[in-house]
PDB file of all heavy atoms in Angstrom:
ATOM      1  N   ASP A  21      18.943  16.185   3.113  1.00  0.00           N
ATOM      2  CA  ASP A  21      18.032  17.142   3.737  1.00  0.00           C
ATOM      3  C   ASP A  21      17.586  16.740   5.119  1.00  0.00           C
ATOM      4  O   ASP A  21      16.982  17.572   5.842  1.00  0.00           O
ATOM      5  CB  ASP A  21      16.787  17.315   2.827  1.00  0.00           C
ATOM      6  CG  ASP A  21      17.090  18.129   1.578  1.00  0.00           C
ATOM      7  OD1 ASP A  21      18.182  18.686   1.510  1.00  0.00           O
ATOM      8  OD2 ASP A  21      16.229  18.185   0.702  1.00  0.00           O
ATOM      9  N   SER A  22      17.825  15.508   5.536  1.00  0.00           N
ATOM     10  CA  SER A  22      17.471  15.067   6.867  1.00  0.00           C
ATOM     11  C   SER A  22      18.660  14.299   7.467  1.00  0.00           C
ATOM     12  O   SER A  22      19.652  14.871   7.777  1.00  0.00           O
ATOM     13  CB  SER A  22      16.191  14.243   6.823  1.00  0.00           C
ATOM     14  OG  SER A  22      16.290  13.166   5.906  1.00  0.00           O
ATOM     15  N   ASP A  23      18.550  12.982   7.562  1.00  0.00           N
ATOM     16  CA  ASP A  23      19.648  12.164   8.033  1.00  0.00           C
ATOM     17  C   ASP A  23      19.394  10.720   7.736  1.00  0.00           C
ATOM     18  O   ASP A  23      18.248  10.313   7.419  1.00  0.00           O
ATOM     19  CB  ASP A  23      19.944  12.359   9.536  1.00  0.00           C
ATOM     20  CG  ASP A  23      18.751  11.988  10.385  1.00  0.00           C
ATOM     21  OD1 ASP A  23      18.517  10.812  10.603  1.00  0.00           O
ATOM     22  OD2 ASP A  23      18.046  12.931  10.843  1.00  0.00           O
ATOM     23  N   LEU A  24      20.421   9.925   7.790  1.00  0.00           N
ATOM     24  CA  LEU A  24      20.358   8.495   7.419  1.00  0.00           C
ATOM     25  C   LEU A  24      19.349   7.738   8.279  1.00  0.00           C
ATOM     26  O   LEU A  24      18.526   6.949   7.801  1.00  0.00           O
ATOM     27  CB  LEU A  24      21.709   7.860   7.537  1.00  0.00           C
ATOM     28  CG  LEU A  24      21.882   6.451   6.927  1.00  0.00           C
ATOM     29  CD1 LEU A  24      21.800   6.514   5.429  1.00  0.00           C
ATOM     30  CD2 LEU A  24      23.213   5.826   7.368  1.00  0.00           C
ATOM     31  N   ASP A  25      19.363   7.976   9.607  1.00  0.00           N
ATOM     32  CA  ASP A  25      18.476   7.252  10.494  1.00  0.00           C
ATOM     33  C   ASP A  25      17.026   7.555  10.210  1.00  0.00           C
ATOM     34  O   ASP A  25      16.166   6.658  10.192  1.00  0.00           O
ATOM     35  CB  ASP A  25      18.816   7.587  11.957  1.00  0.00           C
ATOM     36  CG  ASP A  25      18.040   6.748  12.936  1.00  0.00           C
ATOM     37  OD1 ASP A  25      18.232   5.524  12.932  1.00  0.00           O
ATOM     38  OD2 ASP A  25      17.266   7.331  13.694  1.00  0.00           O
ATOM     39  N   SER A  26      16.697   8.829   9.956  1.00  0.00           N
ATOM     40  CA  SER A  26      15.340   9.209   9.686  1.00  0.00           C
ATOM     41  C   SER A  26      14.812   8.565   8.401  1.00  0.00           C
ATOM     42  O   SER A  26      13.684   8.083   8.365  1.00  0.00           O
ATOM     43  CB  SER A  26      15.212  10.736   9.557  1.00  0.00           C
ATOM     44  OG  SER A  26      15.527  11.388  10.787  1.00  0.00           O
ATOM     45  N   VAL A  27      15.666   8.536   7.384  1.00  0.00           N
ATOM     46  CA  VAL A  27      15.236   7.939   6.107  1.00  0.00           C
ATOM     47  C   VAL A  27      15.086   6.446   6.284  1.00  0.00           C
ATOM     48  O   VAL A  27      14.149   5.848   5.695  1.00  0.00           O
ATOM     49  CB  VAL A  27      16.274   8.291   5.008  1.00  0.00           C
ATOM     50  CG1 VAL A  27      15.926   7.539   3.722  1.00  0.00           C
ATOM     51  CG2 VAL A  27      16.304   9.781   4.760  1.00  0.00           C
ATOM     52  N   SER A  28      15.964   5.847   7.061  1.00  0.00           N
ATOM     53  CA  SER A  28      15.816   4.412   7.381  1.00  0.00           C
ATOM     54  C   SER A  28      14.467   4.111   8.020  1.00  0.00           C
ATOM     55  O   SER A  28      13.821   3.113   7.704  1.00  0.00           O
ATOM     56  CB  SER A  28      16.966   3.947   8.263  1.00  0.00           C
ATOM     57  OG  SER A  28      16.823   2.603   8.595  1.00  0.00           O
ATOM     58  N   GLN A  29      14.038   4.981   8.901  1.00  0.00           N
ATOM     59  CA  GLN A  29      12.738   4.792   9.580  1.00  0.00           C
ATOM     60  C   GLN A  29      11.587   4.930   8.556  1.00  0.00           C
ATOM     61  O   GLN A  29      10.565   4.228   8.662  1.00  0.00           O
ATOM     62  CB  GLN A  29      12.576   5.790  10.696  1.00  0.00           C
ATOM     63  CG  GLN A  29      13.527   5.567  11.880  1.00  0.00           C
ATOM     64  CD  GLN A  29      13.377   6.649  12.938  1.00  0.00           C
ATOM     65  OE1 GLN A  29      12.282   7.153  13.210  1.00  0.00           O
ATOM     66  NE2 GLN A  29      14.493   7.003  13.586  1.00  0.00           N
ATOM     67  N   VAL A  30      11.754   5.844   7.595  1.00  0.00           N
ATOM     68  CA  VAL A  30      10.719   5.978   6.574  1.00  0.00           C
ATOM     69  C   VAL A  30      10.605   4.709   5.740  1.00  0.00           C
ATOM     70  O   VAL A  30       9.505   4.234   5.437  1.00  0.00           O
ATOM     71  CB  VAL A  30      11.010   7.203   5.687  1.00  0.00           C
ATOM     72  CG1 VAL A  30      10.110   7.197   4.446  1.00  0.00           C
ATOM     73  CG2 VAL A  30      10.848   8.489   6.443  1.00  0.00           C
ATOM     74  N   LEU A  31      11.769   4.131   5.355  1.00  0.00           N
ATOM     75  CA  LEU A  31      11.750   2.891   4.595  1.00  0.00           C
ATOM     76  C   LEU A  31      11.124   1.779   5.380  1.00  0.00           C
ATOM     77  O   LEU A  31      10.370   0.954   4.846  1.00  0.00           O
ATOM     78  CB  LEU A  31      13.173   2.531   4.164  1.00  0.00           C
ATOM     79  CG  LEU A  31      13.862   3.471   3.182  1.00  0.00           C
ATOM     80  CD1 LEU A  31      15.299   3.047   2.976  1.00  0.00           C
ATOM     81  CD2 LEU A  31      13.100   3.501   1.862  1.00  0.00           C
ATOM     82  N   ALA A  32      11.406   1.745   6.680  1.00  0.00           N
ATOM     83  CA  ALA A  32      10.815   0.702   7.549  1.00  0.00           C
ATOM     84  C   ALA A  32       9.281   0.895   7.620  1.00  0.00           C
ATOM     85  O   ALA A  32       8.532  -0.080   7.614  1.00  0.00           O
ATOM     86  CB  ALA A  32      11.418   0.782   8.939  1.00  0.00           C
ATOM     87  N   GLN A  33       8.851   2.139   7.662  1.00  0.00           N
ATOM     88  CA  GLN A  33       7.413   2.420   7.676  1.00  0.00           C
ATOM     89  C   GLN A  33       6.731   1.960   6.391  1.00  0.00           C
ATOM     90  O   GLN A  33       5.667   1.347   6.398  1.00  0.00           O
ATOM     91  CB  GLN A  33       7.126   3.911   7.914  1.00  0.00           C
ATOM     92  CG  GLN A  33       5.660   4.271   7.903  1.00  0.00           C
ATOM     93  CD  GLN A  33       5.428   5.762   8.137  1.00  0.00           C
ATOM     94  OE1 GLN A  33       6.258   6.473   8.671  1.00  0.00           O
ATOM     95  NE2 GLN A  33       4.268   6.239   7.692  1.00  0.00           N
ATOM     96  N   MET A  34       7.386   2.238   5.243  1.00  0.00           N
ATOM     97  CA  MET A  34       6.844   1.772   3.962  1.00  0.00           C
ATOM     98  C   MET A  34       6.804   0.267   3.916  1.00  0.00           C
ATOM     99  O   MET A  34       5.821  -0.315   3.423  1.00  0.00           O
ATOM    100  CB  MET A  34       7.721   2.306   2.799  1.00  0.00           C
ATOM    101  CG  MET A  34       7.708   3.799   2.629  1.00  0.00           C
ATOM    102  SD  MET A  34       8.662   4.275   1.172  1.00  0.00           S
ATOM    103  CE  MET A  34       7.590   3.806  -0.139  1.00  0.00           C
ATOM    104  N   ALA A  35       7.822  -0.395   4.423  1.00  0.00           N
ATOM    105  CA  ALA A  35       7.844  -1.856   4.478  1.00  0.00           C
ATOM    106  C   ALA A  35       6.755  -2.380   5.372  1.00  0.00           C
ATOM    107  O   ALA A  35       6.097  -3.395   5.055  1.00  0.00           O
ATOM    108  CB  ALA A  35       9.187  -2.343   4.959  1.00  0.00           C
ATOM    109  N   SER A  36       6.480  -1.670   6.476  1.00  0.00           N
ATOM    110  CA  SER A  36       5.415  -2.078   7.395  1.00  0.00           C
ATOM    111  C   SER A  36       4.066  -1.921   6.727  1.00  0.00           C
ATOM    112  O   SER A  36       3.146  -2.730   6.973  1.00  0.00           O
ATOM    113  CB  SER A  36       5.467  -1.195   8.658  1.00  0.00           C
ATOM    114  OG  SER A  36       4.387  -1.500   9.513  1.00  0.00           O
ATOM    115  N   ASN A  37       3.900  -0.933   5.860  1.00  0.00           N
ATOM    116  CA  ASN A  37       2.675  -0.718   5.088  1.00  0.00           C
ATOM    117  C   ASN A  37       2.530  -1.659   3.911  1.00  0.00           C
ATOM    118  O   ASN A  37       1.560  -1.601   3.170  1.00  0.00           O
ATOM    119  CB  ASN A  37       2.576   0.743   4.605  1.00  0.00           C
ATOM    120  CG  ASN A  37       2.359   1.704   5.732  1.00  0.00           C
ATOM    121  OD1 ASN A  37       1.818   1.364   6.774  1.00  0.00           O
ATOM    122  ND2 ASN A  37       2.752   2.952   5.492  1.00  0.00           N
ATOM    123  N   LYS A  38       3.596  -2.494   3.688  1.00  0.00           N
ATOM    124  CA  LYS A  38       3.616  -3.457   2.609  1.00  0.00           C
ATOM    125  C   LYS A  38       3.511  -2.776   1.231  1.00  0.00           C
ATOM    126  O   LYS A  38       2.786  -3.221   0.330  1.00  0.00           O
ATOM    127  CB  LYS A  38       2.519  -4.499   2.786  1.00  0.00           C
ATOM    128  CG  LYS A  38       2.702  -5.402   3.967  1.00  0.00           C
ATOM    129  CD  LYS A  38       1.640  -6.464   4.073  1.00  0.00           C
ATOM    130  CE  LYS A  38       1.970  -7.517   5.154  1.00  0.00           C
ATOM    131  NZ  LYS A  38       2.248  -6.927   6.474  1.00  0.00           N
ATOM    132  N   ALA A  39       4.261  -1.661   1.112  1.00  0.00           N
ATOM    133  CA  ALA A  39       4.362  -1.031  -0.206  1.00  0.00           C
ATOM    134  C   ALA A  39       4.953  -2.018  -1.180  1.00  0.00           C
ATOM    135  O   ALA A  39       5.968  -2.688  -0.899  1.00  0.00           O
ATOM    136  CB  ALA A  39       5.236   0.231  -0.106  1.00  0.00           C
ATOM    137  N   PHE A  40       4.370  -2.125  -2.360  1.00  0.00           N
ATOM    138  CA  PHE A  40       4.873  -3.065  -3.376  1.00  0.00           C
ATOM    139  C   PHE A  40       6.155  -2.585  -4.016  1.00  0.00           C
ATOM    140  O   PHE A  40       7.047  -3.367  -4.332  1.00  0.00           O
ATOM    141  CB  PHE A  40       3.782  -3.318  -4.431  1.00  0.00           C
ATOM    142  CG  PHE A  40       4.249  -4.219  -5.514  1.00  0.00           C
ATOM    143  CD1 PHE A  40       4.538  -5.540  -5.321  1.00  0.00           C
ATOM    144  CD2 PHE A  40       4.420  -3.706  -6.820  1.00  0.00           C
ATOM    145  CE1 PHE A  40       4.972  -6.370  -6.357  1.00  0.00           C
ATOM    146  CE2 PHE A  40       4.864  -4.491  -7.831  1.00  0.00           C
ATOM    147  CZ  PHE A  40       5.151  -5.828  -7.606  1.00  0.00           C
ATOM    148  N   PHE A  41       6.244  -1.272  -4.239  1.00  0.00           N
ATOM    149  CA  PHE A  41       7.456  -0.747  -4.892  1.00  0.00           C
ATOM    150  C   PHE A  41       7.812   0.622  -4.344  1.00  0.00           C
ATOM    151  O   PHE A  41       6.921   1.385  -3.892  1.00  0.00           O
ATOM    152  CB  PHE A  41       7.301  -0.700  -6.418  1.00  0.00           C
ATOM    153  CG  PHE A  41       6.278   0.273  -6.906  1.00  0.00           C
ATOM    154  CD1 PHE A  41       6.605   1.603  -7.170  1.00  0.00           C
ATOM    155  CD2 PHE A  41       4.965  -0.111  -7.133  1.00  0.00           C
ATOM    156  CE1 PHE A  41       5.656   2.527  -7.613  1.00  0.00           C
ATOM    157  CE2 PHE A  41       4.008   0.762  -7.612  1.00  0.00           C
ATOM    158  CZ  PHE A  41       4.383   2.077  -7.847  1.00  0.00           C
ATOM    159  N   ALA A  42       9.089   0.945  -4.393  1.00  0.00           N
ATOM    160  CA  ALA A  42       9.617   2.295  -4.103  1.00  0.00           C
ATOM    161  C   ALA A  42      10.810   2.451  -5.042  1.00  0.00           C
ATOM    162  O   ALA A  42      11.780   1.742  -4.967  1.00  0.00           O
ATOM    163  CB  ALA A  42      10.045   2.382  -2.646  1.00  0.00           C
TER     164      ALA A  42
END
Side-chain angles (χ1 to χ4, degrees):
D21 286 351
S22 54
D23 59 78
L24 191 69
D25 186 63
S26 297
V27 175
S28 178
Q29 291 177 35
V30 169
L31 293 175
Q33 179 180 337
M34 294 184 75
S36 178
N37 289 336
K38 294 182 171 55
F40 176 68
F41 66 88

